[in-house]
Amino acid sequence: MQAPQEILLAEPRGFCAGVDRAIEIVERAIQKFGAPIYVRHEIVHNTYVVNDLKAKGAIFIEELSDVPPGATLVFSAHGVSKAVEQEAKDRGFHIFDATCPLVTKVHVEVAKLAKEGYEFIMIGHKGHPEVEGTMGQLDHGIHLVEDVADVARVQPGQTDKLAVVTQTTLSVDDAAEISAAVRARFPSVREPKQQDICYATQNRQDAVKVLSPQVDVVIVVGSPTSSNSNRLRELAAKLGTTAYMVDSADELQGEWFKGRARVGLTAGASAPEILVQQVIDRIKVLGAVSVRSMAGIEETIKFPLPKGLKIDAATGLEIRERAPETGPSAH
Ligand code: SF4
């Protein structure tokens, strides 16, 4: 049987600006304050990243009661509810907020519209920490829908002032279908001016749409908990290309490549490039002789670090500011 000949790399793939920033916050906090640094939930949903930060001195917890008094605590990129934010403040931790600014943008929109009397329909996946964080911006009046069937069932308290928000890492196409169902049932629903699905999710899905028809199998590098990585694998499969998701090169199986000459490779927004390179090396052992990057959007977006962790790019020295605050930092 024919072995893989060529690997086509999706562009863009892998780390986004929010993931870069979140990891840098943990690393700089460890450098500045010393280990251990506590992180609420996996900083980003990737096994390699989490293990790497554990080795550097991060301790990942789910319950704030597991953090000792006076410790430094980082909120993960997915964001937290108001209740978690308040509990962390009440416990007096030294807090750095690694919530992706694009998730914070959704939180701010929810808070603003809630003050104007809006209720919300949130499109997202139940139990995902980002959904818990966004829904937890309010005590009530925010209703989760996961699919079109949920839209038919949802019962807002009023429909005069109803707004829709979405998780940032959804399938763009699924979210559009669910949004259309929301609009059909609630014609006056307010939608965000700019979609809540983030640029990184959109760009990686667009790249898979270009990649999939050109290859015989798609490999997505990502952890099982990573929402946007799962969506990439599903998208490739929906487009008719057999697709697998792997957390590391060890999970690749030789039979996936039998009779498949062209292998498409991409990575979720939380998967580091080193894992992509390890996957390439493994596929080369199976026979691939060439690796080609597809043309794609070049992402230049970068988010600033929170106060207390900023470094001057020119000098490499820390930018001195007032004493680190207690409570989440602005960004
Ligand atoms: S996937 Fe999007 S929302 Fe999530 S961290 Fe990256 S840029 Fe932010």
Side-chain angles (χ1 to χ4, degrees):
M1 276 222 190
Q2 194 183 15
Q5 302 291 308
E6 185 182 29
I7 301 169
L8 261 67
L9 295 172
E11 197 66 54
R13 63 177 181 279
F15 276 8
C16 60
V19 164
D20 259 337
R21 173 178 178 273
I23 294 170
E24 206 174 342
I25 287 172
V26 178
E27 288 179 338
R28 288 206 177 169
I30 293 169
Q31 279 166 15
K32 185 166 175 183
F33 305 106
I37 294 293
Y38 288 79
V39 183
R40 185 187 177 276
H41 195 71
E42 293 191 339
I43 186 76
V44 300
H45 284 153
N46 185 268
T47 311
Y48 179 95
V49 169
V50 167
N51 287 340
D52 184 55
L53 291 174
K54 273 185 190 165
K56 289 174 177 164
I59 296 177
F60 293 88
I61 51 93
E62 295 297 326
E63 301 299 330
L64 298 187
S65 54
D66 292 335
V67 182
T72 297
L73 174 71
V74 178
F75 293 146
S76 80
H78 314 96
V80 295
S81 66
K82 284 280 178 218
V84 169
E85 193 180 322
Q86 191 58 50
E87 186 187 344
K89 276 184 193 167
D90 292 346
R91 287 177 179 270
F93 302 134
H94 175 199
I95 301 166
F96 289 101
D97 188 358
T99 304
C100 177
L102 298 180
V103 174
T104 302
K105 186 188 110 201
V106 179
H107 290 186
V108 169
E109 182 77 355
V110 165
K112 189 182 118 217
L113 292 178
K115 274 199 188 125
E116 294 173 23
Y118 275 83
E119 277 192 39
F120 299 86
I121 291 183
M122 172 153 204
I123 304 173
H125 298 292
K126 193 173 182 189
H128 189 280
E130 182 190 327
V131 169
E132 288 177 351
T134 300
M135 293 192 63
Q137 296 304 301
L138 302 178
D139 293 336
H140 61 276
I142 185 158
H143 313 272
L144 181 66
V145 297
E146 294 192 272
D147 51 31
V148 170
D150 282 349
V151 176
R153 283 192 289 262
V154 70
Q155 293 295 348
Q158 49 87 15
T159 56
D160 294 342
K161 285 189 163 186
L162 196 58
V164 67
V165 289
T166 63
Q167 189 179 336
T168 56
T169 52
L170 297 180
S171 151
V172 173
D173 296 336
D174 289 355
E177 198 187 326
I178 301 167
S179 292
V182 172
R183 266 196 309 280
R185 182 158 171 221
F186 307 109
S188 62
V189 71
R190 178 183 174 134
E191 295 184 90
K193 280 191 203 87
Q194 210 190 343
Q195 67 167 11
D196 295 330
I197 293 178
C198 74
Y199 79 96
T201 298
Q202 173 88 55
N203 289 348
R204 280 150 193 70
Q205 289 179 19
D206 287 348
V208 163
K209 285 183 181 173
V210 175
L211 176 77
S212 292
Q214 302 187 43
V215 296
D216 304 307
V217 61
V218 168
I219 304 295
V220 178
V221 182
S223 290
T225 43
S226 163
S227 171
N228 78 90
S229 304
N230 279 292
R231 304 295 83 81
L232 294 177
R233 193 207 60 75
E234 286 168 9
L235 177 59
K238 246 187 212 167
L239 294 167
T241 311
T242 302
Y244 302 97
M245 191 171 80
V246 293
D247 211 357
S248 70
D250 298 343
E251 294 181 0
L252 293 169
Q253 296 180 24
E255 70 214 42
W256 295 349
F257 304 100
K258 281 182 188 158
R260 293 184 167 132
R262 300 181 99 190
V263 180
L265 182 55
T266 187
S270 47
E273 184 63 15
I274 186 172
L275 297 182
V276 174
Q277 293 306 320
Q278 288 168 0
V279 166
I280 290 172
D281 290 345
R282 184 62 68 89
I283 300 172
K284 278 184 175 168
V285 171
L286 295 169
V289 285
S290 67
V291 181
R292 183 160 60 89
S293 262
M294 308 212 43
I297 289 175
E298 191 190 334
E299 293 174 342
T300 53
I301 187 163
K302 189 157 170 52
F303 297 130
L305 291 169
K307 285 175 184 168
L309 292 177
K310 286 183 182 162
I311 302 270
D312 186 313
T315 63
L317 298 172
E318 183 191 337
I319 298 173
R320 290 267 169 205
E321 288 158 308
R322 64 186 169 80
E325 73 252 66
T326 296
S329 53
H331 43 237

